[in-house]
Amino acid sequence: MAKQVLLVDDSEFMRNLLREILEREFEIVGGAENGVEAVEMYKEYDPDVVIMDILLPIRNGIEATADIKSYDPNAHIIMCTSVSQEDKMKQAVKAGADGYITKPFQKPSVMDAISDVLAVNNASNN
Amino acid sequence: MDDHLDAFVREGNHHLTALNEVLVELGEDPDSEEAVAEFFRRIHTLKGMFSAMGFDAASDLAHAIEDLVAEIQQDDLAVTQDRRSRLAEGVAELAECLVEIEASGIIQRDVSATITALRADLDASDAGVEAAVSDGSAGVSGDPFGIVDRGVVERVDGHVFHIRVEIGESPFRGVDGMLVLEAATDAFDVLGTRPSQDAITAGEYETEFDLVVASKNADIEATVQAFPKLADATITELDPADTTDTETPTDLKDSPLEAISREGAETGDANGVADAVGEAVMAASDTAVQSVTVDADSLEELSELVDRLFLTQRQRENEYSGQQGGSVGDLGVIAGRLQETVLDMRLRPVETITAEFSRLANGLAEDQGKDIEFVVTGEDVVLDYTRLAALRGPLLHLLRNAIDHGIESPEERQANGKAPAGTVVLAAKRDRDHVTIEVRDDGCGLDHEQLRETAINKGIKTQADIEELSDAEVAELIFEPGFSTTDSVTDLSGRGVGLDAVQETISDLDGSVSVSSEPGAGTTVTMTFPGAVAIQDVVFLECGGREYGIPSEDVVEVSQLRSVETIDSENVLSDGKTDYSLVWLDDALNVTNGTREDNGMLVYIHSGDHQIAVHCDDIRRQQEVLLKPFEKEVSNDSVFSGVALPTDGDVDPMLDVAVLDS
């Protein structure tokens, strides 16, 4: 069964772009526009992977990551960031992020990031 | 074997030179633990090398030296004058051995006296050493890379592994390091790392770092391979117990690496020996030179060859597609990385040329009786070195101009309500796929009326032409050949080099230059250059059965063609925030397609000042490709800016957004 992905980005365009890239191989359970919605939707759908923009309104991606991880320590969260945001990305890792993709992103890097975090999952389950 | 012998002698000499340097250091600071550690590491490597090549006499000598150094290290044996000369004699003797090996391939001299002298010193030293050695906790590296003490490795209940982690090309080395460390900490007991965990987290490693971990499991391959961000990993199990069975107690400190070398030597396996020597060399390379100077011509040739390799590979990939995808695909990845590496090698920070500007600018201001504050920002922005070298002259010229003509005297500035000290800024900035460099001053600005007069007087423009031009357009006239803003040739800006020369240089570098100025407030000259990246991510659009490329970075949004009603009479689309002019690609390209009003895709593009929505039949794909610009003459009014060379071997034109918008 296709793995489920939750997309979190305040830009509809970015959500759509990710959706286009991913929908052939994954089931997109939904798109959240801010950090609060992200946590709510995570609780509702329990997706396998969350792709989360680092800059979000209301509660930013780092805070939302911490929220989700405290709710489910096994959550897989991939941050969506730009190359100038290494410091923010480090904070995100401290908050529990499992990987990242950099904008502008390309399909292979998004796929790699997802298989990367899912591989960790598989290895620890085996 | 001759090649191996050459490499062996070269490496041997390298270590001996370093050993002599360390001996000098120890003469200056006999307590330097670092120097002793380096001495130990190198002599240990040499011992392994001699042994691997079957030069037992030299190996025994190196062994004796190593033992003495080990005792210095473990038991805080003082590096006395005497002891140091004994070590120096040993090293000199090894050098003689190497000379003989190079000359005849064998060692003829008798090194036993030197060994005896070293051993005598060893025997005379503290008896406690024996105990330390026999209980196996000698404190010498228990792993071939010297990351964790033997004692630590031995105390582990379970398996100990050395993992060399390789991280590929990455925007975030620090983050990647954090992720790997986190995964390693989750899965294993991390005993040590090199460099330190802090350094790994800060991204302070080249492409690899080392971990020594303990695990209950004998096979950690799958777990390690699942680490995030890993390009590759080499796992070696460390097992100190292995050597105790076959070696004398003093050989406890022998590493698995050396055990491998021995094996190679004993079986006469040439490859084994070569590999072992190679590994020994690699293990010793961590203090190697970090940067080298390369002849510019060689670099140019390398760049050219790599570009050609890359293109040839692309064609190959196309020819063989579906047949031997695997190896050809790998070759493509390698060729791509090779090209990126060479591109990176060419990049130098702006700082390289601006470092001296501060002194020059302040000197110029002083000569002129002016007060300035000179500021450089974005020194770390990188440009191709050829471009940087060519930019030095134009930038200096612009700085001189700013100080000479722009900045007023302190008195004049105060009279106009300005701070007495003027500001001159050189700002470099990476902006999307462009690099801009600005030279900005807060001086008097350009006198547009004066410029108009000069243009007419010098016959550059007619009275009628001039009246058509806005102030902004008049300002750009300063780049016209033969134009000069002052009548007198001053010491500073004259020198026969006008702004037209600056303009010419910039456009030779594929750049453009513009000026903006506000009377009384200052002047800004902006230079824009295409980025250094020749490989770009490109979105391919289809129109009339052909594909055309647009840089992905410029693509803001992609959507189905919206209903006709939302398009107003001027063919402008809006997404609520921004207006996009609609461009029918079939019209622009003079081709026919069948998807007009009711069908097709819209690509919203934002490039520089241009915001357009391009209508096309379909979006094909997004891919990293090699771009080749057209020569300037061709592209002037063409709707194409260059060609994209995607992996399918096609040559697809790249659309020029600026021309599409006009």
Side-chain angles (χ1 to χ4, degrees):
Chain A
M1 211 184 85
K3 298 279 183 188
Q4 297 183 318
V5 178
L6 171 65
L7 304 174
V8 187
D9 199 307
D10 54 332
S11 147
E12 190 186 355
F13 169 63
M14 295 307 280
R15 290 201 306 274
N16 287 342
L17 186 62
L18 280 167
R19 189 184 289 273
E20 270 176 42
I21 289 175
L22 297 173
E23 66 190 354
R24 264 193 215 165
E25 281 158 75
F26 298 95
E27 180 190 341
I28 311 296
V29 296
E33 290 182 19
N34 60 58
V36 172
E37 220 174 89
V39 181
E40 282 166 6
M41 291 181 82
Y42 187 87
K43 290 177 179 171
E44 190 179 341
Y45 295 107
D46 189 27
D48 298 289
V49 179
V50 182
I51 298 184
M52 171 110 64
D53 193 15
I54 216 159
L55 301 174
L56 289 172
I58 309 180
R59 255 178 110 59
N60 68 35
I62 297 167
E63 294 165 330
T65 297
D67 291 349
I68 292 176
K69 281 281 181 173
S70 68
Y71 167 77
D72 176 6
N74 295 322
H76 295 115
I77 305 178
I78 295 170
M79 307 307 289
C80 205
T81 175
S82 65
V83 287
S84 59
Q85 294 175 324
E86 174 147 26
D87 284 344
K88 281 218 163 52
M89 188 54 222
K90 284 184 182 173
Q91 289 172 30
V93 172
K94 285 186 186 134
D98 303 283
Y100 62 82
I101 47 181
T102 54
K103 294 179 204 171
F105 40 69
Q106 295 122 33
K107 186 171 177 173
S109 68
V110 180
M111 291 297 176
D112 283 354
I114 294 179
S115 58
D116 239 25
V117 299
L118 292 178
V120 173
N121 189 37
N122 287 339
S124 55
N125 284 349
N126 290 345
Chain B
M1 278 301 278
D2 278 349
D3 282 351
H4 296 323
L5 200 61
D6 280 352
F8 170 81
V9 169
R10 204 164 47 236
E11 279 307 316
N13 276 322
H14 171 71
H15 288 299
L16 287 169
T17 307
L19 282 172
N20 280 318
E21 281 166 14
V22 176
L23 280 170
V24 172
E25 250 180 273
L26 282 172
E28 287 161 5
D29 177 10
D31 297 328
S32 168
E33 283 179 23
E34 268 174 40
V36 173
E38 185 180 352
F39 196 100
F40 179 84
R41 201 172 48 72
R42 292 202 182 266
I43 196 73
H44 180 82
T45 306
L46 269 174
K47 180 186 69 169
M49 287 172 62
F50 281 120
S51 167
M53 297 290 281
F55 298 117
D56 292 339
S59 171
D60 288 349
L61 173 54
H63 198 157
I65 300 173
E66 179 190 343
D67 282 351
L68 183 54
V69 179
E71 286 203 21
I72 291 171
Q73 214 174 16
Q74 296 150 32
D75 297 284
D76 285 336
L77 229 56
V79 184
T80 58
Q81 178 72 36
D82 244 22
R83 204 157 267 142
R84 195 164 60 88
S85 19
R86 201 153 295 127
L87 290 173
E89 278 163 28
V91 171
E93 195 68 23
L94 281 179
E96 292 298 329
C97 290
L98 204 58
V99 169
E100 291 188 2
I101 291 170
E102 189 175 13
S104 62
I106 52 165
I107 299 173
Q108 288 169 316
R109 60 194 307 108
D110 181 2
V111 298
S112 60
T114 317
I115 293 178
T116 309
L118 284 158
R119 293 277 175 211
D121 190 359
L122 204 58
D123 293 341
S125 63
D126 190 356
V129 179
E130 296 287 323
V133 172
S134 61
D135 77 12
S137 57
V140 179
S141 314
D143 65 288
F145 305 92
I147 299 164
V148 177
D149 279 353
R150 158 167 298 276
V152 175
V153 174
E154 279 186 344
R155 279 191 290 276
V156 168
D157 174 25
H159 304 268
V160 178
F161 299 94
H162 169 262
I163 308 172
R164 170 152 290 181
V165 174
E166 189 189 324
I167 302 288
E169 193 70 15
S170 164
F172 297 150
R173 287 188 182 290
V175 174
D176 291 354
M178 275 174 92
L179 287 167
V180 170
L181 283 175
E182 220 170 62
T185 311
D186 281 352
F188 312 117
D189 185 7
V190 177
L191 303 175
T193 70
R194 188 169 65 199
S196 70
Q197 294 211 15
D198 284 351
I200 292 173
T201 305
E204 287 160 7
Y205 57 90
E206 286 285 305
T207 55
E208 298 175 327
F209 55 85
D210 297 291
L211 308 174
V212 174
V213 303
S215 170
K216 298 266 180 252
N217 297 327
D219 184 8
I220 60 167
E221 173 89 24
T223 313
V224 172
Q225 289 306 339
F227 279 4
K229 300 296 163 197
L230 215 60
D232 199 5
T234 313
I235 304 166
T236 318
E237 179 158 11
L238 305 177
D239 191 353
D242 268 2
T243 49
T244 31
D245 298 333
T246 53
E247 303 282 347
T248 59
T250 45
D251 276 331
L252 263 180
K253 60 184 83 71
D254 281 359
S255 64
L257 176 61
E258 195 184 27
I260 297 165
S261 332
R262 287 251 163 85
E263 205 174 299
E266 277 159 16
T267 57
D269 174 353
N271 288 332
V273 173
D275 288 352
V277 172
E279 278 186 52
V281 169
M282 269 171 56
S285 67
D286 57 340
T287 53
V289 182
Q290 294 294 307
S291 71
V292 291
T293 310
V294 180
D295 177 55
D297 287 344
S298 308
L299 183 57
E300 289 303 322
E301 196 181 339
L302 179 64
S303 297
E304 161 99 40
L305 288 172
V306 167
D307 277 350
R308 281 160 64 176
L309 172 69
F310 186 83
L311 290 174
T312 311
Q313 200 284 327
R314 285 276 145 125
Q315 287 168 0
R316 242 343 111 70
E317 210 167 61
N318 188 40
E319 287 164 23
Y320 287 103
S321 66
Q323 294 176 35
Q324 327 171 314
S327 61
V328 175
D330 286 350
L331 190 58
V333 172
I334 295 166
R337 281 174 64 174
L338 186 56
Q339 197 185 34
E340 278 172 34
T341 306
V342 171
L343 281 173
D344 275 355
M345 281 168 68
R346 302 178 60 92
L347 300 179
R348 285 288 171 274
V350 168
E351 194 177 15
T352 322
I353 56 167
T354 58
E356 58 164 352
F357 283 4
S358 181
R359 189 177 46 80
L360 289 172
N362 286 312
L364 290 169
E366 209 170 294
D367 291 348
Q368 292 273 302
K370 292 173 180 174
D371 256 359
I372 63 156
E373 194 188 338
F374 179 60
V375 184
V376 181
T377 66
E379 298 105 312
D380 54 347
V381 170
V382 290
L383 272 173
D384 191 281
Y385 77 98
T386 52
R387 235 179 229 156
L388 264 188
L391 270 178
R392 186 180 174 276
L395 282 177
L396 265 181
H397 188 83
L398 292 171
L399 282 179
R400 283 174 168 149
N401 251 343
I403 294 164
D404 186 21
H405 305 305
I407 301 296
E408 314 89 331
S409 67
E411 300 76 33
E412 196 182 333
R413 290 179 64 88
Q414 270 174 317
N416 290 328
K418 289 171 151 180
T423 307
V424 179
V425 180
L426 193 159
K429 178 166 80 181
R430 175 163 286 281
D431 184 20
R432 288 170 160 271
D433 57 340
H434 287 79
V435 170
T436 60
I437 301 181
E438 268 180 22
V439 176
R440 195 160 69 218
D441 69 65
D442 67 347
C444 58
L446 296 174
D447 182 342
H448 295 104
E449 286 320 306
Q450 177 74 47
L451 293 177
R452 285 191 165 86
E453 240 171 73
T454 311
I456 294 165
N457 290 344
K458 302 224 164 175
I460 292 166
K461 292 281 173 196
T462 65
Q463 181 76 40
D465 287 343
I466 278 291
E467 279 164 13
E468 297 281 302
L469 298 180
S470 67
D471 279 0
E473 286 165 329
V474 166
E476 302 289 343
L477 291 177
I478 61 172
F479 297 113
E480 291 288 321
F483 200 97
S484 169
T485 50
T486 53
D487 295 331
S488 66
V489 174
T490 70
D491 183 33
L492 290 178
S493 318
R495 306 198 181 200
V497 188
L499 283 167
D500 55 330
V502 170
Q503 205 264 343
E504 203 180 313
T505 309
I506 305 296
S507 82
D508 281 351
L509 299 171
D510 298 329
S512 62
V513 61
S514 66
V515 63
S516 68
S517 174
E518 202 179 313
T523 307
T524 301
V525 177
T526 308
M527 286 152 284
T528 307
F529 303 95
V533 195
I535 296 176
Q536 253 200 351
D537 202 61
V538 167
V539 172
F540 289 93
L541 324 178
E542 191 186 299
C543 181
R546 274 227 62 168
E547 288 184 14
Y548 304 90
I550 289 271
S552 301
E553 283 184 331
D554 294 341
V555 175
V556 187
E557 188 161 357
V558 172
S559 75
Q560 293 282 340
L561 177 60
R562 298 184 200 174
S563 62
V564 183
E565 299 90 79
T566 62
I567 303 170
D568 72 17
S569 56
E570 286 170 344
N571 275 352
V572 171
L573 292 169
S574 171
D575 65 356
K577 284 174 282 187
T578 319
D579 291 337
Y580 297 86
S581 336
L582 180 64
V583 175
W584 299 99
L585 198 51
D586 51 353
D587 286 350
L589 301 171
N590 267 326
V591 297
T592 46
N593 69 14
T595 59
R596 221 36 208 294
E597 314 291 331
D598 51 344
N599 211 339
M601 297 291 285
L602 282 175
V603 182
Y604 292 79
I605 295 165
H606 188 152
S607 170
D609 298 335
H610 306 286
Q611 289 170 337
I612 56 176
V614 173
H615 172 266
C616 61
D617 298 350
D618 204 358
I619 314 286
R620 304 304 300 185
R621 64 190 189 284
Q622 191 183 344
Q623 193 177 52
E624 270 199 315
V625 295
L626 184 66
L627 292 187
K628 290 273 174 193
F630 283 138
E631 292 299 322
K632 220 177 313 154
E633 293 72 28
V634 179
S635 67
N636 251 352
D637 52 352
S638 158
V639 74
F640 304 127
S641 60
V643 290
L645 304 159
T647 36
D648 58 11
D650 270 4
V651 178
D652 294 330
M654 290 294 293
L655 296 171
D656 188 323
V657 174
V659 178
L660 280 179
D661 194 20
S662 59

